[in-house]
Each structure stands twice: as structure tokens, then as C-alpha cells.
Amino acid sequence: MRFLSLIRACQSYARQPIYQSSTRVFLQSHRLSSTNNTEEEYPLPEYQERQTEALEVKKARLLYQSRKRGMLENGLLLSSFAAEFLNSFDEKETTMYDRLINKPSNDWEIYYWAIGNKPTPEEVDNKIMDTLKKHACNENLVDCSRLPDL
């Protein structure tokens, strides 16, 4: 009986007009502030490399960043790539992979380079990118429909 009254109290609290009106105001202000914004008005900050980061810490960070991308396609592609190859990278290769996944401002660029729809720029056209392209071809027909286990 007390459980039902608690549920009813929570439901009535969620329906209060203060919550609804504050959400509506937030959405309207966000919509107004995001109109006509261009990349020149709000440039993305330049990626800062972490010079003093230990190699094992860097690999752990890159493994996490490979899994948590802005789009599912890159999350699947990069997480399976990192699970297979990241542990075998030396410090130079790890830095190249760090630059590859963190320098571009758009995840679609990485995806199109990896699958070969767009030419790879010289700054990221290296051994790591070649390995990623080969991995993206999936010649062994490995099931990549879910993120690899940690």
C-alpha cells in the first residue's frame, strides 16, 4: 500500500508544470542560440597531445576513446581495431594512432578514409592508417556487429 502511494507521489511530481515549463524554456533558448552558428564563430579547440603520459595509460585512454565514438560505425571499427592491434603498438605507433583518432574534427572523415571513400591526407597516411584500412576490409569476415569485450 505504501509502495503505491510512493509511485503516485513520484508520478504527480513529474507532471508538475514547473518541470515542463523549464524544459520548454531550455529547449527554446537552445534552439535560438544554435541557429546561424558557423564553425568560424565557434572554432573547435586544437588537439593538445599529452607529452608526459605513460605508454600504458595512453593505450588505456585510446582503447576507451576507440569504443566511445560519436557514431556507431566508428565505434565498431575502431574498437575492434584497438582490441586487435593496440597492445602490439610501440610508443611511436601509439602516438600515430592517437593523432589519427583525435586530430580530425569529424568522425565521418576517419570512417571515409578507412573504407576508402575519400583520399587520406598526408598527415595521417601512415602505417597505422594502412593497417586500419586493411582491418576495415574485413577479409576474414569476422563478425563486427558488437563492441569487443574489455
Side-chain angles (χ1 to χ4, degrees):
M1 192 66 145
R2 295 177 68 196
F3 181 70
L4 290 175
S5 63
L6 180 62
I7 289 175
R8 287 188 189 113
C10 290
Q11 288 173 342
S12 67
Y13 178 77
R15 283 188 236 131
Q16 289 180 353
I18 296 169
Y19 172 76
Q20 292 172 352
S21 65
S22 65
T23 304
R24 193 176 312 119
V25 169
F26 169 75
L27 292 175
Q28 287 173 348
S29 66
H30 179 69
R31 192 177 320 122
L32 292 174
S33 67
S34 63
T35 56
N36 299 328
N37 291 344
T38 61
E39 197 170 304
E40 291 103 28
E41 290 179 50
Y42 302 106
L44 291 172
E46 190 66 31
Y47 175 68
Q48 301 292 321
E49 288 189 37
R50 300 169 187 192
Q51 302 295 333
T52 59
E53 190 174 35
L55 183 60
E56 292 306 312
V57 173
K58 182 182 274 191
K59 286 183 179 186
R61 176 177 56 82
L62 292 173
L63 180 64
Y64 178 81
Q65 288 177 337
S66 297
R67 294 176 64 88
K68 305 295 183 184
R69 304 304 297 180
M71 51 186 267
L72 178 61
E73 292 86 347
N74 269 358
L76 293 170
L77 177 66
L78 294 175
S79 66
S80 60
F81 176 79
E84 187 174 342
F85 297 104
L86 189 59
N87 283 334
S88 65
F89 288 169
D90 62 12
E91 191 164 346
K92 183 179 177 185
E93 292 169 333
T94 305
T95 301
M96 285 192 282
Y97 184 64
D98 188 12
R99 289 179 186 152
L100 171 67
I101 69 170
N102 286 308
K103 279 263 185 165
S105 61
N106 186 350
D107 265 3
W108 283 109
E109 293 173 342
I110 299 170
Y111 181 72
Y112 287 138
W113 299 335
I115 65 171
N117 278 7
K118 287 189 176 181
T120 307
E122 286 184 31
E123 64 186 24
V124 292
D125 196 13
N126 53 37
K127 175 184 173 184
I128 302 301
M129 190 63 188
D130 293 339
T131 308
L132 179 62
K133 286 179 182 180
K134 186 173 181 175
H135 177 75
C137 288
N138 196 11
E139 294 171 350
N140 297 331
L141 301 176
V142 177
D143 180 21
C144 296
S145 60
R146 66 179 194 88
L147 295 175
D149 296 331
L150 288 175

